[in-house]
Structures are given as structure tokens and as C-alpha cells.
């Protein structure tokens, strides 16, 4: 099975930045679109961003658009989420997820097609 491990979470002040990483093992990510999701205490899991197989297409939730940037390095089998101008409402456990696809593109927040989930990394934005 494909294994996904997130890293890079931690405590950051409002307005600060973090870069999350999603590293895959056992199999290549070449055939997978990758999505980032987050779940805050007392809330449902929501989609944050996604990136297509080759990295040619990226999409973002309205709440993070202009602040977050998703990217991937297939040679390193890793996907990244750069988070700038962080707000307290960004506090959540962040998960990466892989969806096997035969065509390019991706849609933010699509859960039905997810094949593998990471276990999450906690991001806390607080003074």
C-alpha cells in the first residue's frame, strides 16, 4: 500500500508561515492527484487544496486562496503546502490524501476518490 507521512506542523504566530510536507513511500506518486485537507476541533474535515499528477493544475479553497501554495516534486515523491499569512482559524490537523487518476486535473475537497490518507500533522496558529 502507498504510505503518506505529513510533517512540518507546529506552533506559529498569526501572520507567520509554515511549509508542510507529504512524503510517500512504497510506490511512486506519479499517478496520483494529491489533496490537502484539514480538520479543526469541533468541525468537519474540509478540503484545502489539490494538485494534479504532474503539478500542472492546482486549486484552492476560497478561505486560503492567495495565502497557501501547493506544489509537488515527483522525483522526491513529495508534495508540499506552503502556508503564508496564517490566521488563528487555520488551526487544524492537516492531512494529505492521494487519489489515483488516469487523467490530469483535480478538485478541492473530493473525498470519494481518495485511495490513501496520511495520519495528519497539527498546525496551531496562536499568539
Amino acid at each position: 500500500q502507498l504510505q503518506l507521512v505529513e510533517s512540518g506542523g507546529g506552533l506559529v504566530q498569526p501572520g507567520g508561515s509554515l511549509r508542510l510536507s507529504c512524503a510517500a513511500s512504497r510506490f511512486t506518486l506519479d499517478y496520483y492527484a494529491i489533496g490537502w485537507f484539514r480538520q479543526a476541533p469541533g468541525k468537519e474535515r474540509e478540503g484545502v487544496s489539490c494538485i494534479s499528477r504532474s503539478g500542472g493544475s492546482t486549486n484552492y479553497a476560497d478561505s486560503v486562496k492567495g495565502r497557501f501554495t501547493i506544489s509537488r516534486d515527483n522525483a522526491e515523491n513529495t508534495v508540499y503546502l506552503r502556508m503564508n499569512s496564517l490566521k488563528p482559524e487555520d488551526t487544524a490537523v492537516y492531512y494529505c490524501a492521494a487519489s489515483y487518476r488516469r487523467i490530469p486535473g483535480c478538485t478541492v475537497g473530493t473525498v470519494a476518490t481518495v485511495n490513501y490518507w496520511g495520519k495528519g500533522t497539527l498546525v496551531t496558529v496562536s499568539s
Side-chain angles (χ1 to χ4, degrees):
Q1 293 182 320
L2 181 70
Q3 293 185 340
L4 303 173
V5 179
E6 302 94 337
S7 63
L11 176 65
V12 63
Q13 295 186 30
S17 299
L18 285 175
R19 189 183 73 162
L20 305 183
S21 298
C22 174
S25 62
R26 297 187 180 274
F27 300 101
T28 180
L29 286 177
D30 289 357
Y31 297 113
Y32 295 88
I34 303 297
W36 282 98
F37 298 77
R38 67 185 182 186
Q39 187 167 23
K43 297 184 65 177
E44 297 294 321
R45 187 173 299 185
E46 63 176 348
V48 176
S49 183
C50 68
I51 188 166
S52 61
R53 295 180 302 170
S54 67
S57 297
T58 59
N59 292 289
Y60 302 89
D62 289 342
S63 59
V64 306
K65 194 171 185 178
R67 299 188 296 120
F68 290 11
T69 302
I70 190 171
S71 62
R72 69 189 297 163
D73 187 338
N74 285 351
E76 294 185 0
N77 233 20
T78 302
V79 175
Y80 305 95
L81 183 68
R82 180 72 182 188
M83 305 184 296
N84 295 326
S85 302
L86 284 163
K87 305 174 181 179
E89 50 263 45
D90 294 319
T91 296
V93 177
Y94 284 72
Y95 302 87
C96 65
S99 299
Y100 182 83
R101 292 179 62 90
R102 297 183 181 275
I103 59 174
C106 71
T107 302
V108 177
T110 300
V111 175
T113 59
V114 171
N115 301 108
Y116 304 100
W117 290 91
K119 294 183 178 180
T121 185
L122 177 63
V123 173
T124 302
V125 185
S126 179
S127 298

